[in-house]
């Protein structure tokens, strides 16, 4: 049952409750596949092959130039059209943990589970690269110096990240309150 | 850099981007100027963002006092703390920052900063209002200066306003860049008197202590120091020197110290952290500045603010504020008695 959904550009965010248990929260970020990428890469490959053939037949160069261009084409296609990501999900099970899933176009799913007591805090961080600057949602893990990225391949806009961040905050806060009440009772 | 009266609160609030290769954790005139100016603007209610290159591990977004946001863009410094001049490859990150921070004014600092030039060029292309502050005097004859002046002419061709720290600096900038003089404002630097105040107890007058704090480079007259110190020590047996700062000419000073056996009369402190500059200054009676060229020389102001007598080479913008310094000194000594 889809509770909430927003869409911006190529990214769509949905918040749903697949399971009857009301506590389990699932947040998806879905990437709309773009045909333009494929068209561009294959056109480039065809152009490269065509120019190699031209050089070979009319320019009277050796046939090895065609072999090399075919190899280079395969390498280019593999590099630019690597296993694309279809969807990334966050399954929040409040007293248990958070499961991070990456769904690929080929049907492969990679899952990563983070126990709730390992999570110190979910944070929204600005990442600066030499060419751009973007927001990411990360989990600070107890005892580790590296943070765990919630969305590893996709870069959704910050408006969508805020909803997931709030849900993660409330899940970790509940756990902290439970811990505190346990310690005061004992 | 004193604050304006209450009516400034009714004026529109700007979102200002300061760009320079020189910022904290480096300490220097330009760095402090950018920091203090940003703090004053934040106090007036404007929003300020600083863009500079990464320093070692310090890369990404950092926040300083009063919410000053600093972008340490992960580019390695190329030569003398400057980023590599890339021209168009710097456009994506500058554009991203300009749009995400909703900047209204871009303020570049220091003619020697490649990042500043590129940011000003890209900002102007995108239609933002652009201000440039020049902090130093430069020559016209050597190869480096000729090339930099050409770049400056391109960058400042379309700048909205320019600021210089003294009238001498304004003359120098106008001649180098071809800017119309009416576009250039002169706003002298200021010193934080809360930080640089005289010592409660004056140092004893039994021996005279002369303090020198500067980068030990050719431009700051380190070679003059090497000539002057032995002569002064010979003529006045009750004089002692304290030399703070580091640089390529430090070796020459150490050699001079060894040659004339002045180890007990000349104390070399090495690089002095900015927070400790005042404590070094108040241990002396006289401050010596031997720069070959200075657009402003805030070191003299800092020393005067701490109650020292100042001796300086008569270069660049120094004579312009000399009278003010002298008057200030008279007041400081009057209150100290």
């Amino acid at each position: 049952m889809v509770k909430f959904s927003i869409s911006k550009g190529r990214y769509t965010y949905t918040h749903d409750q697949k399971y009857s248990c009301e506590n389990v929260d699932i947040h998806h970020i879905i990437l709309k596949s773009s045909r333009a990428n494929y068209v561009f890469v294959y056109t480039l490959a065809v152009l490269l092959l065509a120019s190699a053939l031209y050089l070979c037949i009319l320019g009277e160069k050796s046939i090895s130039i065609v072999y090399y261009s075919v190899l280079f084409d395969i390498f280019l296609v593999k590099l630019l059209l690597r296993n694309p990501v279809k969807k990334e999900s966050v399954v929040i099970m409040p007293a248990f943990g958070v499961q991070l899933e990456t769904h690929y176009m080929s049907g492969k799913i990679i899952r990563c589970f983070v126990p709730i007591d390992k999570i110190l805090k979910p944070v929204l961080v600005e990442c600066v690269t030499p060419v751009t600057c973007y927001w990411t949602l990360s989990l600070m893990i107890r005892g580790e110096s590296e943070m765990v990225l919630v969305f590893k391949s996709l870069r959704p806009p910050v408006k969508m990240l805020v909803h997931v961040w709030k849900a993660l905050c409330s899940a970790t806060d509940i756990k902290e309150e439970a811990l505190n009440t346990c310690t005061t009772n004992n | 850099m004193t604050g304006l009266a209450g009516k400034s609160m009714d004026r529109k609030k700007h979102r200002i981007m300061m760009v320079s290769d020189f910022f904290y954790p480096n300490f220097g005139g330009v760095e402090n100027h950018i920091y203090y100016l940003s703090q004053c603007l934040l106090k007036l209610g404007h929003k300020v963002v600083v863009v500079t290159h990464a320093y070692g591990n310090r890369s990404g977004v950092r926040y300083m006092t009063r919410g000053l946001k600093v972008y340490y863009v992960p580019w390695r410094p190329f030569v003398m703390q400057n980023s590599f001049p890339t021209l168009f490859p710097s456009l994506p990150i500058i554009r991203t920052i300009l749009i995400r921070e909703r900047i209204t004014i871009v303020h570049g600092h220091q003619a020697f900063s490649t990042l500043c030039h590129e940011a000003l060029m890209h900002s102007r292309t995108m239609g933002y209002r652009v201000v440039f502050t020049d902090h130093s005097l430069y020559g016209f004859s050597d190869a480096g200066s000729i090339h930099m002046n050409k770049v400056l002419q391109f960058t400042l061709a379309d700048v909205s306003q320019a600021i210089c720290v003294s009238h001498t600096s304004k003359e120098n900038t106008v001649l180098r860049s071809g800017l119309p003089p009416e576009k250039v404002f002169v706003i002298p630097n200021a010193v934080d008197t809360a930080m640089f105040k005289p010592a409660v107890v004056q140092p004893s007058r039994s021996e005279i202590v002369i303090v020198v704090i500067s980068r030990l480079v050719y431009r700051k007259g380190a070679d003059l120091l090497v000539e002057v110190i032995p002569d002064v020590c010979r003529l006045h047996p009750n004089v002692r020197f304290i030399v703070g700062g580091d640089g390529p000419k430090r070796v020459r000073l150490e050699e001079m110290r060894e040659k004339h056996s002045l180890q007990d009369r000349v104390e070399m402190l090495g690089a002095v952290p900015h927070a400790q500059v005042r404590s070094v200054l108040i241990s002396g009676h006289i401050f010596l500045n031997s720069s070959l060229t200075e657009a402003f020389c805030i070191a003299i102001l800092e020393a005067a603010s701490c109650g020292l007598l100042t001796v300086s080479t008569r270069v660049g913008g120094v004579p312009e504020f000399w009278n003010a310094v002298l008057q200030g000194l008279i007041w400081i000594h009057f209150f100290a008695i």
Side-chain angles (χ1 to χ4, degrees):
Chain A
M1 175 189 88
V2 176
K3 270 171 118 177
F4 179 68
S5 171
I6 38 175
S7 197
K8 188 176 178 193
R10 290 178 66 195
Y11 294 98
T12 308
Y13 162 75
T14 44
H15 175 202
D16 65 14
Q17 270 189 315
K18 204 164 86 176
Y19 306 104
S20 55
C21 169
E22 281 194 11
N23 283 343
V24 177
D25 247 355
I26 311 182
H27 304 261
H28 304 282
I29 299 277
I30 303 157
L31 181 71
K32 202 163 56 176
S33 69
S34 118
R35 292 253 192 94
N37 243 14
Y38 290 93
V39 169
F40 172 71
V41 175
Y42 284 123
T43 316
L44 195 67
V46 164
L47 272 171
L48 217 63
L49 192 60
S51 40
L53 279 167
Y54 172 82
L55 279 171
C56 175
I57 294 168
L58 292 166
E60 286 169 28
K61 299 265 189 250
S62 75
I63 192 90
S64 56
I65 206 171
V66 179
Y67 295 143
Y68 288 133
S69 78
V70 169
L71 279 170
F72 186 71
D73 277 344
I74 294 171
F75 167 72
L76 208 67
V77 168
K78 274 246 176 292
L79 182 74
L80 295 176
L81 299 177
R82 255 188 307 210
N83 210 358
V85 173
K86 187 174 74 176
K87 180 170 83 165
E88 289 205 86
S89 306
V90 181
V91 182
I92 305 174
M93 294 159 273
F96 195 47
V98 174
Q99 175 147 295
L100 310 170
E101 297 176 356
T102 308
H103 300 246
Y104 292 92
M105 287 287 210
S106 54
K108 188 164 113 175
I109 305 175
I110 293 187
R111 296 184 174 93
C112 165
F113 180 74
V114 185
I116 199 85
D117 46 7
K118 288 278 261 175
I119 300 176
L120 187 59
K121 205 166 175 60
V123 283
L124 283 166
V125 182
E126 286 184 272
C127 298
V128 184
T129 68
V131 289
T132 188
C133 182
Y134 56 93
W135 286 96
T136 54
L137 178 56
S138 304
L139 299 170
M140 288 173 72
I141 306 291
R142 285 179 208 277
E144 305 266 334
S145 57
E146 297 274 326
M147 294 198 279
V148 169
L149 275 175
V150 171
F151 298 109
K152 295 176 174 49
S153 313
L154 301 180
R155 290 185 191 173
V158 69
K159 284 193 179 128
M160 298 180 186
L161 290 176
V162 166
H163 294 284
V164 185
W165 173 71
K166 281 183 181 163
L168 282 166
C169 279
S170 52
T172 45
D173 281 344
I174 291 169
K175 171 68 182 166
E176 263 186 47
E177 278 172 23
L179 257 177
N180 288 340
T181 45
C182 270
T183 46
T184 49
N185 284 345
N186 292 344
Chain B
M1 280 185 274
T2 51
L4 297 171
K7 60 183 173 180
S8 69
M9 302 302 281
D10 301 330
R11 293 199 200 143
K12 181 189 164 185
K13 298 286 179 259
H14 288 287
R15 301 174 69 89
I16 301 146
M17 181 168 104
M18 302 275 187
V19 194
S20 183
D21 274 306
F22 310 103
F23 195 62
Y24 182 84
N26 239 21
F27 272 110
V30 181
E31 295 84 342
N32 288 342
H33 175 108
I34 299 174
Y35 176 75
Y36 284 122
L37 178 59
S38 307
Q39 292 298 315
C40 290
L41 287 166
L42 284 165
K43 216 163 146 180
L44 288 172
H46 303 288
K47 167 131 174 71
V48 184
V49 163
V50 178
V51 176
T52 183
H53 66 74
Y55 285 86
N57 277 342
R58 185 183 282 263
S59 137
V61 174
R62 295 278 194 278
Y63 288 89
M64 293 179 84
T65 326
R66 277 206 182 94
L68 174 64
K69 188 170 180 180
V70 187
Y71 281 85
Y72 289 98
V73 180
W75 293 332
R76 288 263 162 257
F78 170 55
V79 69
M80 287 168 70
Q81 287 298 333
N82 272 314
S83 327
F84 188 73
T86 54
L87 218 67
F88 286 106
S90 58
L91 175 62
I93 183 69
I94 303 281
R95 178 182 172 273
T96 306
I97 296 173
L98 283 169
I99 291 173
R100 78 202 309 265
E101 299 292 341
R102 301 191 316 271
I103 299 292
T104 54
I105 297 178
V106 178
H107 191 161
H109 291 266
Q110 191 61 317
F112 201 66
S113 162
T114 47
L115 182 59
C116 163
H117 286 297
E118 289 174 16
L120 294 189
M121 182 179 76
H122 296 314
S123 314
R124 202 64 204 112
T125 313
M126 291 171 68
Y128 289 92
R129 278 183 291 170
V130 152
V131 178
F132 173 74
T133 297
D134 203 355
H135 293 263
S136 302
L137 298 176
Y138 290 102
F140 295 82
S141 57
D142 56 299
S145 298
I146 292 172
H147 287 107
M148 197 171 62
N149 293 343
K150 266 281 171 269
V151 170
L152 197 68
Q153 282 175 14
F154 280 118
T155 315
L156 298 193
D158 196 19
V159 75
S160 312
Q161 303 291 351
I163 301 171
C164 290
V165 293
S166 62
H167 292 282
T168 315
S169 178
K170 172 175 173 173
E171 188 187 346
N172 187 263
T173 303
V174 162
L175 287 171
R176 276 163 43 227
S177 64
L179 269 178
E182 30 310 337
K183 253 195 189 175
V184 185
F185 290 82
V186 175
I187 303 178
N189 281 331
V191 71
D192 184 1
T193 49
M195 193 170 153
F196 290 96
K197 48 185 187 235
V200 173
V201 177
Q202 297 286 318
S204 123
R205 297 274 174 103
S206 56
E207 59 169 6
I208 306 293
V209 180
I210 301 179
V211 178
V212 179
I213 299 187
S214 78
R215 280 181 300 133
L216 300 174
V217 294
Y218 166 73
R219 202 182 155 90
K220 297 287 179 185
D223 298 300
L224 282 177
L225 277 180
V226 170
E227 304 302 320
V228 153
I229 290 177
D231 287 343
V232 171
C233 286
R234 199 186 64 243
L235 289 168
H236 303 277
N238 64 334
V239 163
R240 200 161 61 84
F241 280 86
I242 297 179
V243 178
D246 206 350
K249 295 284 180 182
R250 187 177 173 179
V251 175
R252 277 207 72 192
L253 280 162
E254 306 248 351
E255 280 171 7
M256 173 270 299
R257 211 164 75 134
E258 296 294 323
K259 186 175 160 190
H260 297 276
S261 309
L262 293 169
Q263 288 88 342
D264 54 337
R265 309 246 337 249
V266 176
E267 192 183 338
M268 306 277 294
L269 296 176
V272 179
H274 192 126
Q276 287 165 23
V277 164
R278 186 211 168 227
S279 54
V280 174
L281 286 172
I282 56 174
S283 64
H285 302 91
I286 300 174
F287 180 79
L288 175 61
N289 172 53
S290 57
S291 301
L292 302 181
T293 174
E294 281 286 2
F296 188 79
C297 198
I298 198 155
I300 297 178
L301 262 192
E302 287 170 357
S305 178
C306 288
L308 276 77
L309 290 166
T310 50
V311 175
S312 171
T313 43
R314 196 187 184 84
V315 290
V318 170
E320 286 176 34
F321 64 91
W322 201 243
N323 283 337
V325 167
L326 277 178
Q327 284 168 12
L329 273 176
I330 292 167
W331 279 109
I332 286 168
H333 282 272
F334 179 72
F335 283 113
I337 292 166

